């Protein structure tokens, strides 16, 4: 069959575009993924014990975009959830992002918020230009807190020192002088009530969308017939690595189910300094599920494996720009998503990016129609 669009990747980027093109523009879509399921990295499923887990690590939805929230709300109900994370440092479990309680409980101080702000001024290092992920943190909270909470975690997670990573990586984590211990402060913070996969199933359940799972696009592309291509896989792979490999950081997930009801005080505990893993997630505390057992995931960062994180460094950005130029020159091929545009994007940013591409695609088409009718 001839499809209007072939879409490679059934994660957020691919599924949003499939949904829009099929349901709003009446297009026929072939949605291909090499994994045996839809949802991309946000895929969740019941494990052998019947506990809902995230196969590719914890996914917490948060956004400041009313448009993204309204769009996804068509496909799921929500469960209000504000994410809180503790970091295991010097034998204590302390709030991260660093806040008033983190500092007081770590050092045994009794600072007020005003005193903590003054303290940060005295320990913060003066940095001429904030360029790296080290600069961000040492300038705000000084070297000791940087070393205790950020240096080890970042080295483990990225395989390089924070001084070699773009400032945007640790800038994701704010510093607070109050007692707010939420990980995110976005206006909308929810988990999909019945999980991400159920939400994706609703999105792509349309007669115009044909799913082809467990299929690598590269193996079948010569047998497919389509007018335009949307590609959400790694952009360097699409071009056969012609300029060299774009670095991605991978993870190994160790999923475990324990015969205890409760394992840790919050859904995620970070281990910046001890162990080879970075964090432990306890899913029931994210999803609200009640179950006599509990399921955990330990995350072990590694270089090899599925590409999970683009690595924000100046030389990688330069390499990506070469691929981007090539991508822009392709007729009828559109690159989108975290891997397709080599961006360290959260789910909501990918949804927004996909909705923007959709508008461009249908906008371009209506322009063509106008041109034809003239
Ligand atoms: P993906 O979900 O990666 O989908 C791309 C799909 O393309 C994959 O399913 C892949 O199998 C498929 N594919 C690639 N190549 C081919 C090919 N050749 N043929 C066929 N199929 C192919 N974001 C948040 O907002 N909150 C969080 O808490 C959060 N936590 C995260 C935790 C981890 C461990 C990770 C790795 C990411 C996290 N994210 C989080 C980010 C989130 O996962 C991404 O923003 C989002 O899933 C990206 O969607 P995507 O469609 O761009 O890519
Ligand atoms: N980070 C850290 N210590 C922490 C939490 C985060 O050093 O306890 C740094 C680390 O470099 C991490 C980055 O901040 O990769 C962004 O953290 P986030 O939780 O946003 O990472 P993600 O959920 O995307 O893996």
């Amino acid at each position: 069959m001839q499809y209007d669009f072939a879409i490679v990747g059934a994660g957020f980027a691919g599924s949003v575009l499939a949904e829009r093109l099929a349901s709003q523009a009446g297009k026929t879509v072939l949605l291909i993924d090499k994994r045996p399921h839809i949802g991309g990295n946000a895929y969740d499923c019941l494990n052998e014990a019947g506990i809902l887990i995230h196969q590719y690590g914890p996914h917490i939805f948060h956004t400041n975009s009313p448009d993204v929230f309204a769009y996804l709300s068509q496909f799921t109900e929500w469960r209000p959830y504000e994410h809180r994370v503790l970091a295991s440092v010097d034998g204590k479990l302390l709030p991260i992002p660093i806040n008033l309680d983190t500092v007081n409980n770590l050092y045994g101080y009794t600072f007020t918020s005003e005193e903590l702000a003054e303290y940060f001024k005295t320990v913060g290092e003066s940095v001429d230009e904030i360029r790296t992920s080290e600069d961000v943190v040492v300038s705000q909270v000084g070297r000791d807190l940087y070393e205790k909470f950020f240096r080890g975690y970042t080295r483990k997670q990225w395989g390089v020192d924070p001084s070699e990573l773009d400032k945007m990586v640790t800038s994701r984590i704010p510093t607070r002088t109050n007692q707010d211990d939420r990980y995110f402060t976005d206006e909308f913070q929810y988990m999909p009530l019945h999980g991400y996969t159920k939400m994706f199933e609703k999105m792509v359940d349309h007669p115009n969308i044909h799913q082809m799972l467990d299929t690598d696009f590269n193996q079948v592309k010569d047998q497919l017939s389509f007018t335009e291509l949307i590609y959400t896989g790694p952009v360097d792979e699409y071009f056969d690595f012609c300029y060299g490999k774009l670095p991605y950081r991978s993870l190994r997930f160790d999923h475990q189910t324990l015969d205890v009801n409760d394992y840790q005080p919050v859904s995620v505990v970070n281990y910046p300094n001890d162990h080879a893993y970075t964090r432990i997630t306890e899913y029931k505390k994210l999803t609200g599920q009640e179950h006599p057992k509990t399921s955990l995931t330990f995350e072990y960062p590694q270089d090899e494996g599925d590409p999970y994180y683009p690595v924000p460094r100046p030389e990688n950005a330069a390499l990506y720009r070469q691929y981007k130029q090539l991508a822009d020159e392709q007729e009828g091929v559109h690159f989108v998503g975290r891997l397709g545009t080599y961006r360290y994007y959260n789910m909501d940013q990918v949804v927004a990016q996909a909705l923007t591409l959709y508008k461009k695609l249908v906008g371009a088409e209506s322009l063509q129609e106008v041109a034809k009718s003239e």
Side-chain angles (χ1 to χ4, degrees):
M1 163 166 174
Q2 166 78 25
Y3 292 92
D4 295 322
F5 283 86
I7 300 183
V8 179
F12 268 100
S15 299
V16 167
L17 278 150
E19 187 281 327
R20 287 287 88 180
L21 287 164
S23 79
Q24 300 299 302
K27 302 293 181 190
T28 51
V29 174
L30 178 64
L31 182 60
I32 307 159
D33 205 299
K34 63 181 172 193
R35 291 170 170 167
H37 57 72
I38 56 173
N41 286 339
Y43 172 73
D44 55 14
C45 59
L46 292 179
N47 67 8
E48 66 295 338
I51 298 176
L52 186 66
I53 66 159
H54 298 183
Q55 180 136 336
Y56 307 98
H59 279 70
I60 296 102
F61 182 76
H62 57 102
T63 189
N64 280 317
S65 164
D67 288 349
V68 167
F69 185 66
Y71 171 74
L72 291 177
S73 300
Q74 299 175 84
F75 312 106
T76 187
E77 294 168 66
W78 300 100
R79 166 178 190 264
Y81 170 77
E82 288 185 326
H83 194 42
R84 288 180 170 78
V85 178
L86 295 172
S88 170
V89 171
D90 290 355
K92 298 176 177 167
L93 290 181
L94 300 163
I96 177 89
I98 290 172
N99 71 7
L100 182 63
D101 291 324
T102 312
V103 175
N104 281 343
N105 292 337
L106 177 67
Y107 297 123
Y109 296 150
T110 51
F111 286 149
T112 61
S113 289
E114 292 70 30
E115 287 165 346
L116 179 58
E118 282 307 310
Y119 174 77
F120 281 156
K121 278 190 207 154
T122 61
V123 294
E125 295 184 5
S126 78
V127 179
D128 285 344
E129 187 201 350
I130 310 252
R131 261 185 329 104
T132 72
S133 272
E134 176 181 298
D135 297 341
V136 172
V137 184
V138 295
S139 65
Q140 289 177 17
V141 299
R143 199 146 290 268
D144 195 51
L145 289 167
Y146 162 73
E147 286 179 359
K148 286 185 155 66
F149 287 85
F150 285 88
R151 191 177 61 177
Y153 188 105
T154 303
R155 283 183 173 180
K156 254 194 279 188
Q157 171 72 9
W158 298 94
V160 294
D161 194 77
S163 60
E164 294 173 69
L165 275 177
D166 189 277
K167 65 180 175 193
M168 62 88 66
V169 176
T170 52
S171 299
R172 290 165 63 90
I173 315 297
T175 302
R176 305 203 180 109
T177 52
N178 59 19
Q179 289 180 295
D180 187 350
D181 62 348
R182 293 170 307 159
Y183 208 66
F184 309 112
T185 50
D186 298 50
E187 186 179 351
F188 305 96
Q189 303 190 39
Y190 296 94
M191 296 292 287
L193 185 60
H194 304 293
Y196 289 96
T197 303
K198 287 269 179 278
M199 177 178 80
F200 279 98
E201 282 169 0
K202 255 187 137 172
M203 283 170 85
V204 301
D205 177 21
H206 190 282
N208 281 6
I209 302 177
H210 180 77
Q211 292 178 28
M212 197 183 226
L213 301 179
D214 232 341
T215 308
D216 188 330
F217 173 69
N218 297 316
Q219 310 290 319
V220 296
K221 61 182 172 201
D222 296 336
Q223 299 143 45
L224 303 177
S225 192
F226 51 86
T227 311
E228 298 205 45
L229 177 66
I230 292 173
Y231 193 81
T232 78
V235 60
D236 55 337
E237 188 178 303
Y238 180 86
F239 292 111
D240 278 332
F241 310 104
C242 64
Y243 298 127
K245 272 191 128 183
L246 277 169
Y248 294 93
R249 192 70 170 155
S250 191
L251 293 170
R252 178 172 69 81
F253 300 102
D254 178 15
H255 301 293
Q256 296 191 18
T257 297
L258 303 186
D259 212 347
V260 295
N261 189 288
D262 178 71
Y263 180 75
Q264 59 189 24
V266 287
S267 56
V268 173
V269 175
N270 288 354
Y271 290 86
N273 308 311
D274 319 304
H275 310 294
Y277 48 82
T278 48
R279 58 186 178 189
I280 303 177
T281 300
E282 184 173 9
Y283 289 103
K284 286 196 304 180
K285 298 202 163 96
L286 282 182
T287 60
Q289 186 179 359
E290 295 197 3
H291 194 286
K293 296 185 181 181
T294 200
S295 289
L296 313 173
T297 296
F298 297 67
E299 289 174 55
Y300 293 86
Q302 55 186 29
D303 269 337
E304 298 309 315
D306 280 357
Y308 291 126
Y309 290 85
V311 183
R313 300 180 71 177
E315 58 267 46
N316 301 347
L319 182 55
Y320 170 64
R321 276 195 294 276
Q322 288 183 276
Y323 281 112
K324 164 99 171 62
Q325 192 172 353
L326 208 52
D328 289 344
E329 288 164 8
Q330 307 300 304
E331 285 283 323
V333 188
H334 312 278
F335 294 84
V336 61
R338 179 144 146 152
L339 304 171
T341 58
Y342 201 65
R343 291 216 170 88
Y344 187 2
Y345 268 175
N346 293 327
M347 296 181 280
D348 64 320
Q349 295 171 298
V350 170
V351 172
Q353 191 192 34
L355 292 174
T356 302
L357 174 60
Y358 170 70
K359 282 188 200 137
K360 210 175 101 191
L361 291 173
V362 293
E365 182 174 85
S366 43
L367 285 180
Q368 275 166 17
E369 275 165 14
V370 173
K372 263 189 246 153
S373 65
E374 276 172 0

